[in-house]
Amino acid sequence: MTITLHSWPRSSGTRVSWALEELGIAYEYVQLDPHKQEQRAAHHLALHPLGKVPALVDGEVTLFESAAILLHLGERYGIERQLWPAGTGQARADALSWTLWAMVDFGNNMMQFVYHGLDSPVSYRSADRSAACAEYNRAHFDRGLDALEERLRERPFLLGTFSLADIPAASWLQLGNLFGVATGARPRLSDWLRRCSERPACRRAR
């Protein structure tokens, strides 16, 4: 069965590459050129109707959105490789919860703060920024950081051992580091992010 990832570097597809590398699954990487608007081509729109990345083709199954792809990879390939919890118990519930929280809330709060509250290559022009939006999202982002710090109090990774559920939040923070997002004095969080970032699969994906 052939797996094909359609993406480009330093995008949401990077976390999917990381997951595939952790799983040790052979896959083809199709790099699109956003400067040529290749994501808007008809053949890519057939995979991702919004003309974005990533998109994954796994045999006869096509998925878009990195959260959906990570869940698919976890359920289909991660269980036998001990990178995703089996069954229907609390461990799987935790994996789903931390994965979706990171993709729906945590990353969005961070990026809205970057857009409105920082001077970065992707930030809005000063005239288009909202101080209230920056303050609101920074506050919620900090609550997320505190939640991660507490979760890591008695475990080295979010589920105890490393799993695909660590990738979403860690990948957002890696991106945040590039944009100068401060995470404060949270030693357990810092150690966790370092452990995640030093994994060989993560290095290969990046």
Side-chain angles (χ1 to χ4, degrees), residues 94-108:
D94 287 345
L96 292 171
S97 296
W98 286 105
T99 296
L100 292 175
W101 164 77
M103 296 306 303
V104 175
D105 285 341
F106 187 60
N108 181 61

Side-chain angles (χ1 to χ4, degrees), residues 5-17 29-40 44 48 50-55 205-206:
L5 173 61
H6 300 253
S7 186
W8 59 65
R10 290 191 176 182
S11 70
S12 297
T14 303
R15 63 177 60 96
V16 177
S17 295
Y29 187 92
V30 178
Q31 182 169 327
L32 304 179
D33 188 344
H35 300 293
K36 297 180 180 179
Q37 293 290 297
E38 290 181 346
Q39 74 275 20
R40 301 289 185 180
H44 186 71
H48 196 315
L50 300 178
K52 298 181 179 182
V53 296
R206 295 168 66 189

Side-chain angles (χ1 to χ4, degrees), residues 49-77:
L50 300 178
K52 298 181 179 182
V53 296
L56 185 87
V57 179
D58 183 1
E60 297 181 355
V61 175
T62 300
L63 302 101
F64 62 92
E65 289 297 317
S66 59
I69 296 171
L70 288 176
L71 294 177
H72 168 78
L73 294 175
E75 297 286 351
R76 188 162 189 173
Y77 303 105

Side-chain angles (χ1 to χ4, degrees), residues 178-206:
L178 294 177
F179 295 144
V181 178
T183 56
R186 296 176 173 89
R188 289 185 291 274
L189 176 71
S190 297
D191 288 345
W192 165 76
L193 183 59
R194 175 184 52 78
R195 287 192 294 272
C196 289
S197 300
E198 289 177 350
R199 294 183 65 83
C202 180
R203 293 179 182 274
R204 290 193 297 271
R206 295 168 66 189

